Amino acid sequence: MAGDRKDELEAILKAQRDAFTAARPEGLDKRKDRIKRAIALLVDHGEDLCQAMNEDFGNRSRDQSMMTDIVGSVNFGKYCLKHLDKWAKPEKRKPTFPLGLLGAKAELRFEPKGVIGILSPWNFPVQLSFNPLMQVLAAGNRAMIKPSEFTEKTSDMMAELVEKYFAQDEVAVITGSPEVAQAFSSLQFDHLVFTGSTATGRKVMEAAARNLVPVTLELGGKSPVVLGHSADLEKAGERIAMGKMMNAGQICLAPDYMIVPEDKEEAAVAAVQLGVHNQYPTLLDNDDYASVVTDRHFDRLQGMVADAREKGAEVIEVNPGEEDFSNTNSRKMPLTILRNVNDDMQAMQEEIFGPVLPVKTYKNVGEAIDYVNDHDRPLGLYYFGTDKAEREQVLQQTISGGVTVNDVIFHVAMDDLPFGGVGPSGIGSYHGPEGFKEFSHARSVYSQPKIDVAGIAGFKPPYGKATKKAISTQLKK
């Protein structure tokens, strides 16, 4: 990357930090105004952004984009506005006994950190830029956003619109190549948010660590669906099909693989097939079904299926309209179910991020739990069933970023629940009050009373009787 781009990034960061410092203390009305402007940008230009996403993908449903990227972000902004006053209030804490009785005070203030960087991905380019932005602004920060180069038209439009609705020292969008993203991740931010793959997350964290920049990493991994013995297969199949085929499976929380009772495997596979038939009677000319974003990703998915077939998997293409996919360059791919999978296959080693669904079986649910626990902790975990004891066994004996019971993905749509991963699926979270705290500095403030506390407590040299008395008093059982 040319040095002038790096200089440009440094200059924007300096301008934002200078403006942030000069404006302090800044009232909550300023934060609310910025959130309202972000909402207005999305409301005023939602249709334009949906069209840009459609062009970037080759095909992406306008209604899906409107629901996930525009409406979802607008509603989250409204949620932040509703709760901001409560979130920003200092919390009273108790001074160590007996200092409170002597007039000491302790409180925790949630203060803005400064300038926060947001590295957003291509799969939900608007939502995963603006959702964190809403909470970054709620916490009183400035923001620099680097969206993906894969969704170039959407990124360019976001840059253009943000420039109209915000001063550059409030919010700025930086477009460009992976080299620009690399330079962006090495800036001296006060906090950095990254959404993307685990492999890239490691590089981002490494770059941020050189400057001791704290990070929120929203990664991914292989989110399992555990189908319990008591699951309603038809409902489960419909919901799994919906979650796996939304955005053509290009969702960090997409159900990555199913693990089902051995005696219900055929019925479970049939239920997913039925769900696809009901929701997507055709695929190629169906605007509701998205394309895979690039040729490279499409080829990767095709290679993954070929690898599974070569290693003994049964490959089931769910093609309700019996369409010919061989003579199209639309990058549309039917849901492909893989049976008889094993851990030697690529499909069971890496996050799929597309319409491929491996199926494993278990004799008792303990086997399913062991399999999940033998692999990296996933971003999401999904359990279907009405057996409360079995559900609790699965939840209590596994670890994942979040859980949806009797559906998939939906926990991320709960504005009041924190969203994040654990271990290789992520660090930190946003959404909920936890997100406000993530982008705030929790600053402890202790106020000493007028009396000589150190002298009374025996802390002052020369140490003597008062010191010995204080020690013996504290060590009493």
Side-chain angles (χ1 to χ4, degrees):
M1 185 189 71
D4 54 348
R5 284 308 305 272
K6 183 72 186 285
D7 293 343
E8 177 197 347
L9 299 185
E10 296 279 9
I12 295 170
L13 175 60
K14 184 179 187 308
Q16 289 205 354
R17 183 166 287 125
D18 288 348
F20 167 79
T21 304
R24 294 201 70 204
E26 200 170 52
L28 295 186
D29 58 323
K30 295 284 189 184
R31 303 186 192 187
K32 291 175 183 175
D33 174 62
R34 291 185 185 117
I35 295 169
K36 287 174 183 174
R37 279 186 271 151
I39 291 171
L41 182 159
L42 295 171
V43 171
D44 295 348
H45 300 281
E47 292 289 350
D48 299 331
L49 287 163
C50 287
Q51 181 55 37
M53 285 183 272
N54 181 58
E55 290 177 30
D56 280 327
F57 273 75
N59 181 76
R60 193 182 199 248
S61 162
R62 174 261 181 202
D63 290 341
Q64 182 214 294
S65 293
M66 192 59 76
M67 285 186 292
T68 57
D69 285 75
I70 308 302
V71 173
S73 300
V74 167
N75 285 343
F76 187 60
K78 291 177 181 176
Y79 164 81
C80 291
L81 287 174
K82 181 180 178 182
H83 293 280
L84 178 52
D85 288 337
K86 182 174 70 176
W87 290 342
K89 278 183 181 174
E91 289 182 11
K92 287 186 178 179
R93 297 293 177 95
K94 289 184 178 179
T96 304
F97 181 82
L99 294 175
L101 299 176
L102 301 173
K105 292 180 181 177
E107 69 173 12
L108 194 62
R109 297 183 181 185
F110 296 102
E111 300 187 349
K113 289 187 168 186
V115 181
I116 296 187
I118 300 172
L119 268 167
S120 58
W122 52 264
N123 59 325
F124 292 98
V126 177
Q127 182 205 95
L128 294 173
S129 299
F130 276 80
N131 257 26
L133 176 66
M134 297 296 184
Q135 221 153 25
V136 163
L137 296 177
N141 302 289
R142 311 292 167 120
M144 292 171 64
I145 303 170
K146 168 62 180 79
S148 173
E149 67 279 1
F150 285 149
T151 42
E152 187 176 0
K153 288 184 171 63
T154 309
S155 296
D156 287 346
M157 184 174 289
M158 284 196 291
E160 184 184 315
L161 293 172
V162 163
E163 198 172 340
K164 288 180 181 175
Y165 284 75
F166 294 93
Q168 193 179 56
D169 62 14
E170 293 179 300
V171 182
V173 174
I174 316 302
T175 59
S177 65
E179 288 74 28
V180 175
Q182 192 174 349
F184 186 91
S185 64
S186 67
L187 292 173
Q188 183 73 61
F189 290 115
D190 298 292
H191 195 103
L192 178 62
V193 187
F194 167 78
T195 306
S197 71
T198 301
T200 307
R202 285 194 178 95
K203 294 176 183 173
V204 169
M205 189 173 182
E206 189 179 340
R210 293 192 193 103
N211 293 318
L212 296 179
V213 173
V215 294
T216 301
L217 302 180
E218 300 294 354
L219 307 177
K222 301 187 73 62
S223 297
V225 176
V226 179
L227 217 61
H229 287 278
S230 60
D232 179 326
L233 293 184
E234 190 173 335
K235 275 186 183 173
E238 179 183 81
R239 293 171 185 185
I240 293 163
M242 184 199 74
K244 189 63 176 177
M245 296 191 72
M246 179 188 289
N247 214 38
Q250 298 166 115
I251 305 176
C252 59
L253 274 171
D256 196 277
Y257 66 94
M258 287 201 310
I259 185 159
V260 305
E262 202 171 57
D263 60 344
K264 296 189 174 179
E265 182 185 13
E266 285 192 18
V269 169
V272 173
Q273 290 175 294
L274 179 63
V276 176
H277 279 256
N278 288 341
Q279 294 169 71
Y280 298 94
T282 63
L283 298 171
L284 282 178
D285 295 320
N286 187 342
D287 288 342
D288 289 345
Y289 189 55
S291 299
V292 175
V293 69
T294 63
D295 290 340
R296 183 167 69 86
H297 280 281
F298 184 82
D299 292 343
R300 178 185 65 84
L301 290 164
Q302 295 294 324
M304 186 181 281
V305 172
D307 171 78
R309 184 184 277 113
E310 286 167 16
K311 292 172 180 171
E314 178 189 351
V315 177
I316 303 167
E317 269 196 7
V318 188
N319 183 358
E322 297 184 1
E323 296 165 287
D324 182 5
F325 285 80
S326 61
N327 294 317
T328 175
N329 60 359
S330 66
R331 296 194 305 274
K332 285 201 172 181
M333 180 177 178
L335 178 65
T336 306
I337 297 172
L338 305 177
R339 292 178 65 180
N340 305 321
V341 294
N342 60 59
D343 282 2
D344 292 334
M345 299 173 183
Q346 287 175 24
M348 296 307 295
Q349 291 174 356
E350 57 190 67
E351 184 178 4
I352 289 170
F353 226 72
V356 178
L357 182 64
V359 181
K360 287 186 70 68
T361 62
Y362 66 85
K363 288 188 177 69
N364 64 72
V365 78
E367 291 177 23
I369 290 167
D370 288 344
Y371 185 82
V372 172
N373 287 337
D374 284 344
H375 295 79
D376 286 345
R377 289 168 177 169
L379 185 60
L381 181 142
Y382 309 117
Y383 172 80
F384 285 85
T386 56
D387 183 333
K388 290 182 181 178
E390 185 181 72
R391 179 194 70 199
E392 285 307 306
Q393 185 184 354
V394 171
L395 296 193
Q396 289 174 9
Q397 294 180 11
T398 59
I399 296 174
S400 68
V403 175
T404 295
V405 175
N406 286 322
D407 212 326
V408 297
I409 298 174
F410 266 87
H411 63 277
V412 71
M414 302 302 109
D415 292 337
D416 208 36
L417 282 177
F419 169 64
V422 56
S425 60
I427 294 172
S429 60
Y430 62 95
H431 293 188
E434 290 80 4
F436 176 83
K437 291 177 181 178
E438 183 90 351
F439 303 134
S440 301
H441 169 54
R443 192 179 191 188
S444 301
V445 180
Y446 171 72
S447 299
Q448 191 74 289
K450 291 179 181 178
I451 64 166
D452 183 8
V453 170
I456 293 171
F459 287 165
K460 275 187 182 175
Y463 299 127
K465 288 181 182 178
T467 308
K468 289 180 173 58
K469 184 180 178 183
I471 293 170
S472 63
T473 300
Q474 294 302 320
L475 292 178
K476 281 181 182 175
K477 290 184 181 178

